[in-house]
Amino acid sequence: MSAGLTSAAIVAVGVATSGIGLWGMRLSRTTSDFMVASRTVSTAWNASAISGEYLSAASFLGIAGLVMTYGVDMLWYPVGFVAGYLVLLLLVAAPLRRSGAYTLADFAEARLGSRSTRRLAGLLVVAIAWLYLLPQLQGAGLTLRTVTGAPRWAGAVIVTGVVVGNVLAGGMRSITLVQAFQYWLKMFAVALPALVLLAIWRNDGSPSLTSPELPTFRTATAVHLQSAVRLEITAAQSVVVHGVVDGHRRDGDLLLTAGEHDVSEGARLDFPAGAAVPHADGVPRTTGAAWAAPFGGDQGSHPLYRIYSLIFATFLGTMGLPHVLVRFYTNPDGRAARRTTVVVIGLLGAFYLFPAVFGALGRLYTPQLLLTGQTDAVVLLLAGAAIGGLGGQLVGAVVAAGAFAAFLSTSSGLIVSVAGVVAQDLLGGTVRSFRQGTLLAGAVPLALTFAATQLPVSEVVAMAFAVAASSFCPLLLLGIWWQGLTAPGAITGLLVGGGAAILAVSLRIGGYAPPGWPSALLAQPAAVTVPLAFVTMVTVSLVTRRSRPADVTHVMVRMHAPEPAGG
């Protein structure tokens, strides 16, 4: 991949993003402009903007990496990401818009009449947004390091700087224009390369993706190891080594016998064409046949539970993502919110046709990523490996530009969400306080990026979905559709469900991975924590039914009244 071309493409995205944001600044004057774009965003613009901010690092890089590593079971990620909007459309979008709230914290207070519930909801908004921001910044670091060799922190700093600058300039109205532009840029950047790669694959005589001998190196391949690794060799093979293997410095031909071999950080291994890709410790062992079969990949213990828990998290977590929900407050009325959601489902469904293509073809053209564990980079490297030459460099630059657009657009929505909560609940709710909240919203996740364990980006995003599904999903569904929800019930459910999910996520990010069921529960907690939150909210609300707010009937009528009376 040409560092010059790719760097120019990334710079162009940053400049375009900043330019559109500054242009949007002319339209932002009031607090309502900064918070919810004065509730005047059209259906088409809002749908493009929602899709732009929703298609994050997990969508652009992570899904392809997971499909490449684990196999077809990982297609539940894009299915869940889209299906979550269907649940949102049917149950939440219009009533939430009619509630008149600016933020999730506003909704909690308006529905339950409780400042304590509002404060707790605000804290959860911040926690979910920061957790979701981590993979965006990590993905930016991975992209910039892969295409230019820059240190990982550089990408995170650039994305944070551009996004914070845009949000400071024009708030929600400004980033609406930016995110709508970035959706169509991302769509072009993923669709065109995928179609080109499919055409090449169909015509170059490559073996079937389900071939049991895969993965193998199609051409002579040099593998640079960025960390020490233990390799398992199934059949003796000769490689050229520059580095330390099994405690001895090697510079030249080496016969790797069957068994395990320890290779040091920084070593380079040159594999001949046709050689089998060794199995690296910590990377799933997935042949072509197992990769293409349900539950055929090495996904750890209890794969069926993990899949169902992932479905719980993605189907129900979307409605609890603060950067998604705040978008529905920008619609003029509930009817527009529903129309927007329908368009979003179509836009997302079209996009998610393509990342899996990169993951599947990566097993043919970039199998070395299975050896290094850097499969999240397959979208960035595949074009250069499959196409080669100037054409491969150009396509790779387009993909890198789309990846950076993904980080920028999602980060923008998340920072606006956090800034809105900080401004409303801590600093007085003015434009100045929104800008102060923006600085805080960007600084904390940037600092956490340097300390966080480098997990695959889609796994970290799935954790954010699990926390959202375990906290705001029951709050919204019960708050919108059940008059019996009380403030004590909501608070207890948020603490129990959300707290359990946050604990699991914290242990997972910290590297705690016990064997068996504990590992499965920590990796995918939603199947346990979501029902726990619902049961807790309902039980405590029934016990404390006397504390229902006096105006609950009026609030429910406002949320459910037909248009235009309820708009």
Side-chain angles (χ1 to χ4, degrees), residues 121-515:
L123 290 174
L124 284 168
V125 165
V126 173
I128 293 168
W130 281 345
L131 180 61
Y132 209 110
L133 268 167
L134 280 179
Q136 314 313 315
L137 301 184
Q138 289 178 354
L142 170 66
T143 299
L144 206 63
R145 180 173 181 173
T146 299
V147 301
T148 68
R152 278 186 177 269
W153 57 262
V157 169
I158 291 171
V159 166
T160 302
V162 172
V163 170
V164 168
N166 264 345
V167 177
L168 286 174
M172 179 62 79
R173 188 178 289 280
S174 180
I175 69 165
T176 295
L177 303 175
V178 169
Q179 290 171 334
F181 156 75
Q182 287 170 335
Y183 168 78
W184 294 104
L185 173 61
K186 284 184 282 191
M187 188 65 185
F188 174 78
V190 73
L192 175 64
L195 294 174
V196 171
L197 290 165
L198 281 172
I200 290 173
W201 171 62
R202 292 288 296 174
N203 292 285
D204 70 355
S206 296
S208 167
L209 292 170
T210 61
S211 176
E213 65 268 16
L214 288 179
T216 58
F217 294 106
R218 298 176 72 251
T219 60
T221 304
V223 179
H224 299 265
L225 298 176
Q226 298 177 4
S227 59
V229 67
R230 174 168 293 177
L231 302 181
E232 181 180 332
I233 307 295
T234 56
Q237 57 180 292
S238 180
V239 298
V240 178
V241 177
H242 298 281
V244 177
V245 178
D246 296 329
H248 300 284
R249 176 75 193 186
R250 308 283 186 176
D251 285 291
D253 292 336
L254 175 66
L255 179 66
L256 294 177
T257 58
E260 294 184 343
H261 298 273
D262 292 317
V263 184
S264 69
E265 177 183 356
R268 169 180 161 172
L269 305 179
D270 294 338
F271 290 89
V277 178
H279 174 250
D281 188 42
V283 177
R285 188 196 311 273
T286 310
T287 64
W291 174 87
F295 304 110
D298 182 7
Q299 300 175 41
S301 59
H302 309 288
L304 183 61
Y305 164 80
R306 290 175 184 252
I307 292 298
Y308 276 108
S309 194
L310 173 64
I311 291 171
F312 259 84
T314 53
F315 277 49
L316 301 179
T318 300
M319 71 178 69
L321 296 178
H323 67 301
V324 169
L325 290 179
V326 73
R327 275 276 161 212
F328 290 97
Y329 304 130
T330 66
N331 283 118
D333 51 45
R335 185 181 291 110
R338 286 194 300 269
R339 288 198 302 267
T340 296
T341 310
V342 172
V343 177
V344 167
I345 292 172
L347 295 178
L348 294 181
F351 179 91
Y352 281 126
L353 293 173
F354 301 107
V357 173
F358 287 87
L361 297 183
R363 296 177 63 81
L364 292 175
Y365 298 104
T366 56
Q368 68 271 18
L369 298 178
L370 294 169
L371 181 58
T372 64
Q374 297 295 316
T375 52
D376 282 340
V378 63
V379 173
L380 303 170
L381 299 176
L382 184 57
I387 302 172
L390 180 61
Q393 294 174 13
L394 290 172
V395 174
V398 170
V399 173
F404 245 73
F407 312 140
L408 291 169
S409 58
T410 301
S411 299
S412 297
L414 292 165
I415 286 179
V416 164
S417 299
V418 175
V421 169
V422 172
Q424 289 280 90
D425 295 336
L426 298 179
L427 301 177
T430 64
V431 171
R432 181 180 179 182
S433 64
F434 180 87
R435 286 173 166 155
Q436 292 170 341
T438 298
L439 295 175
L440 177 65
V444 173
L446 179 61
L448 291 175
T449 302
F450 292 91
T453 302
Q454 294 295 320
L455 292 171
V457 292
S458 277
E459 287 193 25
V460 182
V461 167
M463 294 175 186
F465 271 80
V467 176
S470 305
S471 53
F472 288 128
C473 168
L475 175 66
L476 286 167
L477 291 184
L478 294 176
I480 289 173
W481 297 102
W482 184 43
Q483 289 193 20
L485 182 67
T486 66
I491 291 172
T492 308
L494 289 172
L495 289 173
V496 172
I502 289 172
L503 176 61
V505 166
S506 300
L507 292 173
R508 175 70 171 158
I509 290 179
Y512 180 67

Side-chain angles (χ1 to χ4, degrees), residues 85-130:
Y85 270 94
L86 181 59
V87 179
L88 191 65
L89 168 66
L90 296 175
L91 300 176
V92 173
L96 183 66
R97 169 58 188 87
R98 296 191 199 110
S99 71
Y102 276 85
T103 65
L104 272 168
D106 282 343
F107 171 81
E109 183 179 25
R111 169 63 179 82
L112 298 166
S114 167
R115 292 287 299 179
S116 297
T117 310
R118 178 194 182 95
R119 285 191 288 268
L120 179 57
L123 290 174
L124 284 168
V125 165
V126 173
I128 293 168
W130 281 345

Side-chain angles (χ1 to χ4, degrees), residues 520-544:
L521 291 171
L522 293 181
Q524 296 288 353
V528 173
T529 54
V530 172
L532 182 63
F534 271 103
V535 169
T536 302
M537 282 193 187
V538 171
T539 302
V540 176
S541 293
L542 291 174
V543 172
T544 61

